[in-house]
Structure formats: structure tokens, C-alpha cells
Amino acid sequence: MLVTLHYTDLAVAALLLLVNGGLSMALDLGLARPLLVAALRMVVQLSLVGLVLTRLFALESPWLTLGAALVMLLFAGQETMARQERRLSGWWSYGIGTGAMGTAAGIVLLLGLSTAVRPDPWWDARYAIPMLGMVLGNAMSGVGLALHTLTATAARERSAIEAQLALGRTRWTALRPTLRHALRTALMPTINSMAAMGVVALPGMMTGQILSGVDPGEAVKYQILIMFLISGATGLGVLAALLATVRRLSDRRHRLRLDRLVRRR
């Protein structure tokens, strides 16, 4: 049985933000204003998304579904670029992150819709958009973390990398430790999330389905499917983004090109 929430219920829950705001002011953390802005932004964004999805589900148009997916991808690319302290100059940072996430999420989403979920039609926005949101959101975090780690480590370890290149190593060999470190750093949150799921925490999708009246056993199967899709998309996206960035951070003569990086202002 679905319990309907009223705006007064949300208002009561929002009072908890006052506690966090009070702690911030008492301890002089400077987080009261960012917390308020983040909360207001969340409410506005989710309200607008709810209106858009209601309309999108009613129209049942594959082109509108594709358009919504494209908008989500473009915003994810912007967020990925914004999370990097050092990023590639020009359009490269945005293009590599967006392209890697789009390719990985597209492959994984098509696999999930065509083999496991099998909605009719297969592009049904009620399934495609929520699944894409979960997959793309996690891939975005992984790619952003991977690129941040790669560029920051390459800049920090510049002397060691250039020493390897001076000894005749290829760019792939010289940058391999940095690449492995970035890949491991980006994938660990997903691995830790899967390891703790069910015992330490109940994931949001599963909780939402149970609260809406879905049988817990069925909700568990959907959650397992989503986590497998998330893991696959994150791994593919991170690997593609890192390989492309390594190529951009070096040239055909196997020289390190940190001059192609710019600091975030």
C-alpha cells in the first residue's frame, strides 16, 4: 500500500536542516548558506523533473525519451568537468568525460532493457529514464574521480614519469602506475557500495519499491540488476576516459604534455 506524502510532511522533515545549519553556525563551519542553497536547488530540480517525467511518460515518444537522455548526459559531462582541479584545456575535458559516459551508459542500458527488463516498447521512458539516471549518476562520479586523480597524480609525479620516458619507456609504461592508481580509486566506491549493500544499507531504489508495495523479493532482484549495470557502466566509462586522457597528456614522441592542463579557477 502506497502512503501518500503531503507538503506538511516534507516541511517537518525539512526542519532537520535547521539542526545542521545551527551546528554550522555554532562551530563556524561556513556551511549554513551552502546547505540552504543545496536544499533549495534540490527541491526545485526534483519538482521540475517530476513535472517533466509526468509529461514524458504520458506522451510515449522515443524522440522525447532520447532528448531527455541527451540532456541528462550533457549535464553529467558538465558536472564531471567541474569536479576536476586540473583538467584538459579546450573542449577535451568535457568531450572525453561526456563521450566515455555516454558510450558506457548507452551500451549497458541497451543491454539491460533488451535482455533483462524487456519493456514494451523497449524505449519506454518509465524504465529507460530512471535506469539511465542511476547508471549515469554513478558513472559520472567514477569518471570525475578518475580524471581528477589521473591529472593530479601526473602533475605531482612529473619528475618520476619524465625520468621513465627519458630512459626510453613508452608513455603507456611510464604512466601505467598513475593509470592504475586512478582506475582503482574510481572503482573502489562502487565495490564498497556493493559489499555493504543489504547488510549495512538498503539502497534507495529497493527501499522505494518496497514502500510503494512491491514484493521485497522482486525489489531485491531489480536492485541486483541495477548494481550490475552500474558496475559495468562505471568500469567501462572510467577505463575509456582514462585511456583517452593518457593519450592527450602525451604525444606521439612519448613526451609528457602537462601544458595541456589548466587549473580550475
Side-chain angles (χ1 to χ4, degrees):
M1 177 180 177
L2 177 62
V3 178
T4 302
L5 296 178
H6 301 283
Y7 290 111
T8 53
D9 301 322
L10 300 180
V12 171
L15 294 177
L16 295 174
L17 293 178
L18 297 179
V19 177
N20 292 337
L23 289 174
S24 175
M25 290 186 289
L27 299 176
D28 197 22
L29 301 178
L31 295 177
R33 181 180 177 84
L35 179 64
L36 177 61
V37 172
L40 291 176
R41 180 177 174 180
M42 176 195 67
V43 171
V44 172
Q45 289 177 167
L46 288 178
S47 299
L48 292 176
V49 166
L51 295 175
V52 171
L53 290 182
T54 300
R55 185 64 175 170
L56 185 63
F57 294 165
L59 292 175
E60 298 183 352
S61 169
W63 299 112
L64 289 178
T65 300
L66 179 62
L70 181 60
V71 170
M72 294 168 63
L73 176 61
L74 295 178
F75 274 98
Q78 178 62 35
E79 287 295 320
T80 298
M81 185 176 67
R83 298 182 183 190
Q84 302 171 45
E85 182 180 352
R86 300 172 184 263
R87 60 172 181 261
L88 294 173
S89 59
W91 67 274
W92 286 99
S93 182
Y94 183 82
I96 287 176
T98 305
M101 287 188 300
T103 302
I107 292 174
V108 168
L109 183 63
L110 289 176
L111 177 66
L113 290 175
S114 61
T115 61
V117 182
R118 296 191 297 273
D120 185 22
W122 67 269
W123 44 261
D124 191 344
R126 291 182 179 274
Y127 294 88
I129 296 301
M131 290 177 63
L132 176 63
M134 288 181 284
V135 170
L136 191 59
N138 285 270
M140 176 188 70
S141 299
V143 170
L145 182 58
L147 295 182
H148 169 76
T149 304
L150 176 66
T151 54
T153 305
R156 186 176 64 249
E157 302 294 334
R158 177 175 185 172
S159 298
I161 295 172
E162 290 184 335
Q164 290 288 318
L165 295 173
L167 292 174
R169 305 288 192 273
T170 66
R171 54 184 172 181
W172 300 107
T173 302
L175 284 165
R176 183 178 299 169
T178 304
L179 182 64
R180 293 178 61 186
H181 174 59
L183 187 61
R184 180 180 178 86
T185 300
L187 295 181
M188 280 307 298
T190 301
I191 296 174
N192 292 336
S193 177
M194 288 193 295
M197 192 165 292
V199 177
V200 179
L202 290 179
M205 176 186 173
M206 177 180 166
T207 302
Q209 286 186 311
I210 293 175
L211 291 177
S212 64
V214 175
D215 178 73
E218 195 65 26
V220 166
K221 288 189 289 184
Y222 266 95
Q223 186 62 54
I224 292 174
L225 170 66
I226 291 299
M227 288 307 303
F228 286 160
L229 297 180
I230 286 174
S231 177
T234 302
L236 291 175
V238 165
L239 181 61
L242 288 176
L243 292 178
T245 303
V246 167
R247 288 183 63 88
R248 184 60 184 168
L249 280 179
S250 55
D251 57 25
R252 294 181 179 179
R253 297 175 61 184
H254 298 276
R255 296 177 300 181
L256 189 63
R257 297 295 303 273
L258 294 183
D259 58 296
R260 294 174 175 173
L261 291 178
V262 294
R263 275 185 174 273
R264 184 179 58 191
R265 295 180 180 179

